[in-house]
């Protein structure tokens, strides 16, 4: 279990150091797969809810998200020096400090349970790194990666909750995630097609 | 089950947009017809409910109680008024072609809002709020301008992050209760949460509470996470701005009411400080922006931040401010709808949103000018509107509750807002430029919704029917007020 959490932290930290949008997108898929493995390691009794949860993590998070983002990026040129956070020591140290802070937070809220402390720390780190990427990015794809990293952290908190969601509610949450990804893809295409320094066109619709 | 139809009708209306016979000009009739049927159904739900009763359905996932009923009636009325306005715009040819997609999305958005209002499960409510956000976000850039697209994207990002924080907050609450009561006793059903003996582990529910309020505060446009609001309100088409500010705002407010009333049942002073700080910060930030802006639509957007701040303060003060808070929330839904629809008429006529470029509005566009003027009066908290009464109740309760510093600070900021808004908007309404052009003939349909809303606003301020007053009192009681 500990190794899975370490791998999850690596899955959202390593893309910060690779200057490639493809690595960032693949990182999202890896995070999804690891969330599925974390769920599997919980040894929950088999149920329809659990099956749906596996489908959500392995199919939607791990496969659909990267596939759809790659598809949305088709035909759009990306700068070769794409980076999720600014390429300097201050940002990298900042990212590691955030992760450290997240784990300190985890140990404060669960001082007696080392596993829960690790779980909370990992989720908090994913949320903070997602927000760091969002605050650094002006590129739509980078912002989507930041947002989905944040969402991954939220999903991890959800997995760790002692409260099992009723199936209709869980399906609702999954539906929201799928529509969010589809909407992000739609925006990605529109934002990348927008002229970078174009004149502000007057709104055509006055409705 | 009639309440369920309130959500089914807009969904059916959205599906009708795929039927060829309902496309083109007929689409606007479908929109108004759907909104009217939905409003009538809401009326039937209200007529069938006896005071103090709660009706659950669909496995207790939905409820008709005082809070859901009041908000259902409010958003149904506002949505109906907005649809009349949309119909006028379509008839007047002020809308790009292929507006069926626009109408379908608007109806989908409204259906999710109705479901959110009727939800008895906190996470189901979260799901509907998120679906509503995803439905309406693309409508913000319906005009296809780059600035609108950026505003729409910003709205989406902030909303998803805000709602994400809210969900984490709810899960932290579950963790707190899980540690205290054991897994099988956990629930997110609102009626179930009302019966739990305690909130459980203090640290977890404190974290949860902070995140829940911060998340919903972001969605409401409260400082510090407010920067999406002026951009989205400014660039969205006026009908969409009205839906965001009057319909969606009220749905999120209902979520905040639910969460605050649940948690306050354990500790009446809970989250007071947090809400007061967010409220003070919001009204201060809004006042600074109101002073500097030269865009009338943006000015009203900043005033919305100011209102959200006032509501947060009212909730923070708690105790007997509840009635004032509820009245203020309901009134503001109508005020904003009136103002943003008038803004749309003004922009369509003059082609500008610049305050300094406009003079003598009331002479050139009497209908929209009057609607705008009365809306501004209601916005600034003048009598005899419901917003005035709500504000007075909230302020008097601040004094009664001993929040004198907060009271004085608010009085100073409200005076600044009054002077800044008046200095900017009054010349726009009454000023004389000498070449303001001929008087414009406005069709009644363009302002029919505004007339309806103004009547309701005056009624809320002067005389509310006993049934409405008792409904507001019931909701206020859940917030700890009377």
């Amino acid at each position: 279990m500990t190794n899975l959490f370490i791998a999850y932290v690596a899955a959202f930290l390593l893309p910060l150091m690779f200057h490639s949008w493809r690595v960032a997108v693949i990182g999202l898929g890896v995070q999804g797969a690891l969330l599925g493995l974390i769920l599997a390691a919980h040894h929950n009794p088999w149920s329809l809810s659990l099956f749906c949860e596996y489908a959500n993590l392995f199919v939607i998070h791990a496969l659909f998200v990267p596939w759809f983002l790659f598809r949305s990026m088709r035909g759009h040129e990306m700068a070769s020096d794409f980076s999720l956070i600014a390429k300097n020591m201050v940002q990298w140290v900042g990212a590691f400090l955030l992760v450290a802070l997240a784990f300190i937070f985890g140990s404060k809220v669960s001082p007696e349970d080392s596993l829960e402390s690790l779980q909370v720390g990992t989720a908090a780190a994913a949320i903070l790194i997602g927000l760091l990427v969002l605050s650094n990015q002006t590129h739509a794809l980078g912002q989507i990666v930041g947002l989905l990293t944040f969402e991954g952290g939220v999903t991890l908190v959800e997995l760790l909750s002692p409260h099992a969601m009723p199936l209709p509610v869980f399906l609702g949450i999954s539906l929201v995630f799928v529509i969010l990804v589809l909407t992000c893809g739609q925006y990605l295409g529109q934002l990348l097609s927008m002229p970078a320094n174009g004149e502000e066109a007057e709104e055509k619709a006055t409705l | 089950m009639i309440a369920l139809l309130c959500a089914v009708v807009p969904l059916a209306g959205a599906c009708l947009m795929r039927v060829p016979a309902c496309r083109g000009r007929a689409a606007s009739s479908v929109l108004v017809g759907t909104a009217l049927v939905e409003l009538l159904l809401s009326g039937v739900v209200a007529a069938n409910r006896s005071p103090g009763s709660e009706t659950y359905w669909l496995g207790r996932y939905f409820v008709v109680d005082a809070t859901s009923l009041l908000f259902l009636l409010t958003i149904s009325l506002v949505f109906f008024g907005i649809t009349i306005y949309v119909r006028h715009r379509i008839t007047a040819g002020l809308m790009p072609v292929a507006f069926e997609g626009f109408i379908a999305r608007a109806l989908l958005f409204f259906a999710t809002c109705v479901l959110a209002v009727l939800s008895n499960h906190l996470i189901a409510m979260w799901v509907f709020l998120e679906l509503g956000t995803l439905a309406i976000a693309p409508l913000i850039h319906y005009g296809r301008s780059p600035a609108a697209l950026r505003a729409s994207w910003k709205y989406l990002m902030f909303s998803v992050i805000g709602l994400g924080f809210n969900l984490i907050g709810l899960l932290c609450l579950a963790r707190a209760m899980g540690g205290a009561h054991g897994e099988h006793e956990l629930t997110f059903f609102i009626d179930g949460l009302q019966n739990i003996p305690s909130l459980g582990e203090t640290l977890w529910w404190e974290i949860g509470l902070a995140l829940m309020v911060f998340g919903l505060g972001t969605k409401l446009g409260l400082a510090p996470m407010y920067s999406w609001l002026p951009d989205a309100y400014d660039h969205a088409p006026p009908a969409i701005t009205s839906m965001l500010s009057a319909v969606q705002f009220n749905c999120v407010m209902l979520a905040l009411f639910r969460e605050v009333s649940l948690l306050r049942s354990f500790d009446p002073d809970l989250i007071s400080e947090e809400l007061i700080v967010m409220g003070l910060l919001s009204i201060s930030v809004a006042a600074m922006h109101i002073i500097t802006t030269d865009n009338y639509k943006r000015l009203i957007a900043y005033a919305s931040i100011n209102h959200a701040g006032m509501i947060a303060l009212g909730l923070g003060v708690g105790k007997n401010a509840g009635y004032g808070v509820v009245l203020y929330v309901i009134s503001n839904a109508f005020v904003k709808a009136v103002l943003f629809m008038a803004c749309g008429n003004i922009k369509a006529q003059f082609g500008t949103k610049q305050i300094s470029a406009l003079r003598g509005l009331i002479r050139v566009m009497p209908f929209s000018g009057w609607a705008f003027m009365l809306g501004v009066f209601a916005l600034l908290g003048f009598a005899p509107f419901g917003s005035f009464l709500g504000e007075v109740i909230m302020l008097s309760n601040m004094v009664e509750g001993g929040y004198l510093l907060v009271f004085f600070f608010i009085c100073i900021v409200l005076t600044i807002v009054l002077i800044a808004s008046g200095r900017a908007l009054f010349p726009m309404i009454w000023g004389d430029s000498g070449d303001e052009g001929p008087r414009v003939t406005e069709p009644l349909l363009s302002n029919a919704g505004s007339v309806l809303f103004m009547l309701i606003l005056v009624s809320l301020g002067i005389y509310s029917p006993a049934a409405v007053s008792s409904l507001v009192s019931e909701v206020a009681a859940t917030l700890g007020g009377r």
Side-chain angles (χ1 to χ4, degrees):
Chain A
M1 192 73 149
T2 307
N3 291 338
L4 285 174
F5 284 111
I6 293 169
Y8 188 78
V9 173
F12 62 75
L13 271 188
L14 286 177
L16 302 185
M17 285 153 220
F18 285 87
H19 307 307
S20 157
W21 67 270
R22 289 184 179 83
V23 172
V25 171
I26 291 169
L28 290 174
V30 174
Q31 286 168 44
L34 286 167
L35 285 172
L37 293 174
I38 289 170
L39 177 68
H42 266 288
H43 304 296
N44 294 303
W46 192 252
S47 66
L48 183 60
S49 274
L50 190 67
F51 174 77
C52 293
E53 212 155 339
Y54 278 129
N56 176 36
L57 294 174
F58 284 118
V59 180
I60 297 170
H61 282 73
L63 296 174
F64 174 71
V65 169
W67 171 80
F68 184 70
L69 289 179
F70 275 122
R71 188 175 163 274
S72 303
M73 287 301 293
R74 205 178 297 156
H76 296 289
E77 289 205 4
M78 283 290 286
S80 55
D81 60 343
F82 175 87
S83 180
L84 285 175
I85 56 172
K87 288 178 280 185
N88 59 55
M89 278 304 278
V90 177
Q91 288 288 335
W92 287 330
V93 171
F96 281 108
L97 276 178
L98 284 179
V99 174
L101 269 175
F103 281 100
I104 292 169
F105 169 75
S107 63
K108 291 276 180 205
V109 293
S110 298
E112 282 143 22
D113 186 342
S114 61
L115 185 61
E116 189 183 63
S117 150
L118 182 66
Q119 292 172 340
V120 173
T122 308
I127 289 164
L128 289 176
I129 292 296
L131 292 176
L132 177 74
V133 172
L134 265 174
S135 64
N136 261 277
Q137 279 293 328
T138 50
H139 194 281
L141 180 70
Q143 289 173 337
I144 292 172
V145 172
L147 184 74
L148 295 180
T149 305
F150 173 89
E151 286 286 319
V154 177
T155 309
L156 189 54
V157 178
E158 236 177 279
L159 291 182
L160 308 177
S161 169
H163 179 84
M165 298 277 177
L167 187 60
V169 177
F170 174 75
L171 291 176
I173 294 174
S174 303
L175 177 71
V176 163
F177 185 77
V178 173
I179 298 177
L180 174 66
V181 174
L182 293 173
T183 309
C184 284
Q186 192 188 350
Y187 272 94
L188 186 62
Q190 289 174 351
L191 287 163
L192 293 181
S193 310
M194 201 171 73
N197 296 311
E199 285 287 304
E200 289 292 328
E202 189 59 24
E203 288 99 326
K204 285 177 198 157
T206 48
L207 179 79
Chain B
M1 288 298 275
I2 296 170
L4 179 65
L5 288 176
C6 292
V8 171
V9 167
L11 280 176
C15 294
L16 280 178
M17 289 301 114
R18 308 292 297 176
V19 179
C22 297
R23 298 176 78 84
R25 286 290 170 91
S28 63
S29 304
V30 172
L31 177 67
V32 178
T34 306
L36 181 61
V37 172
E38 205 281 334
L39 178 61
L40 292 174
L41 284 170
S42 306
V44 173
V45 173
N48 285 343
R49 179 184 173 270
S50 48
S53 70
E54 292 170 356
T55 315
Y56 299 95
W57 35 282
L58 279 189
R60 279 175 48 244
Y61 276 101
F62 298 97
V63 63
V64 176
D65 60 1
T67 309
S68 58
L69 182 61
L70 181 66
F71 280 87
L72 178 67
L73 287 170
T74 306
I75 65 168
S76 301
L77 263 167
V78 171
F79 188 70
F80 175 62
I82 295 171
T83 58
I84 297 175
Y85 177 77
V86 172
R87 183 177 160 78
H88 154 69
R89 308 299 286 194
I90 291 173
T91 314
L94 290 166
M95 182 107 177
V97 288
F99 43 78
E100 293 84 1
F102 177 96
I103 292 175
R105 264 192 185 272
L107 286 168
L108 276 177
F109 160 75
F110 186 64
T112 61
C113 288
V114 170
L115 290 168
V117 162
L118 294 171
S119 286
N120 182 42
H121 190 282
L122 288 176
I123 299 200
M125 188 188 287
W126 178 91
V127 167
F128 293 126
L129 288 177
E130 185 94 48
L131 286 174
T133 299
L134 293 168
I136 203 165
L139 295 183
I140 293 172
H141 66 275
Y142 189 64
R144 301 287 176 216
S145 81
L149 182 61
R150 277 195 291 271
S152 166
W153 179 238
K154 196 170 175 182
Y155 163 78
L156 185 70
M157 289 286 121
F158 272 81
S159 293
V160 172
I161 294 289
L163 287 173
F165 275 121
N166 185 251
L167 181 62
I168 301 170
L170 290 170
L171 294 169
C172 287
L173 205 64
R175 171 63 187 75
M177 293 184 295
H181 310 303
E183 194 170 331
H184 55 280
E185 284 190 45
L186 280 177
T187 179
F188 280 111
F189 286 100
I190 293 165
D191 60 320
L193 280 167
Q194 283 162 346
N195 299 324
I196 58 167
S198 74
L199 283 173
E201 292 176 40
T202 313
L203 182 62
W204 278 103
W205 68 250
E206 278 181 352
I207 295 169
L209 192 56
L211 291 173
M212 278 156 63
V213 174
F214 180 74
L216 290 181
T218 302
K219 197 81 181 85
L220 290 171
L222 282 170
M225 299 279 275
Y226 69 96
S227 73
W228 65 269
L229 189 144
D231 286 348
Y233 282 19
D234 183 21
H235 293 291
I240 297 306
T241 313
S242 303
M243 286 187 209
L244 285 172
S245 63
V247 179
Q248 184 174 264
F249 182 90
N250 275 29
C251 294
V252 180
M253 191 50 76
L254 175 129
L256 186 63
F257 276 15
R258 293 282 197 205
E259 290 174 8
V260 166
S261 62
L262 268 176
L263 297 167
R264 284 258 168 93
S265 59
F266 297 101
D267 180 357
D269 293 324
L270 212 60
I271 58 167
S272 285
E273 285 174 11
E274 196 178 7
L275 284 166
I276 288 174
V277 169
M278 282 177 98
L280 288 176
L281 202 58
S282 301
I283 60 167
S284 310
V285 164
M288 280 190 277
H289 284 296
I290 287 172
I291 293 169
T292 53
T293 188
D294 188 35
N295 175 329
Y296 54 84
K297 208 175 168 195
R298 242 181 146 78
L299 189 144
I300 296 161
Y302 290 125
S304 300
I305 299 174
N306 185 50
H307 288 155
M310 276 302 291
I311 294 163
L313 280 166
L315 279 174
V317 169
K319 298 184 177 67
N320 295 324
Y323 191 93
V325 171
V326 178
L327 201 57
Y328 195 76
V329 168
I330 301 301
S331 301
N332 270 302
F334 298 112
V335 173
K336 286 179 209 158
V338 167
L339 281 168
F340 284 121
M341 291 193 295
C343 283
N345 290 341
I346 297 165
K347 166 79 178 13
Q349 177 62 33
F350 296 102
T352 180
K353 286 187 265 187
Q354 212 181 338
I355 295 171
S356 52
L358 297 173
R359 288 291 179 271
L361 186 65
I362 209 155
R363 287 187 291 278
V364 183
M365 298 180 77
F367 278 173
S368 297
W370 270 92
F372 191 75
M373 183 189 79
L374 292 173
V376 167
F377 285 164
L379 182 86
L380 295 175
F382 287 10
F385 304 104
S387 47
F388 165 75
L389 188 59
E391 203 165 281
V392 166
I393 294 172
M394 282 194 283
L395 288 173
S396 64
N397 275 286
M398 276 176 208
V399 177
E400 272 179 34
Y403 295 92
L404 290 179
L405 272 178
V406 176
F407 172 77
F408 284 123
F409 184 79
I410 292 171
C411 288
I412 291 167
V413 176
L414 288 183
T415 310
I416 293 170
V417 169
L418 176 71
I419 294 169
S421 309
R423 194 191 59 175
L425 297 177
F426 291 168
M428 177 182 153
I429 298 169
W430 295 294
D432 189 4
S433 68
D435 59 342
E436 54 207 25
R439 190 172 156 151
V440 177
T441 310
E442 294 180 86
L444 182 64
L445 209 58
S446 65
N447 284 291
S450 298
V451 172
L452 173 72
F453 296 160
M454 290 313 303
L455 288 174
I456 295 169
L457 274 170
V458 173
S459 164
L460 284 172
I462 297 174
Y463 168 75
S464 296
V468 175
S469 191
S470 106
L471 197 59
V472 173
S473 298
E474 269 190 72
V475 181
T478 65
L479 295 172
R482 60 177 153 84

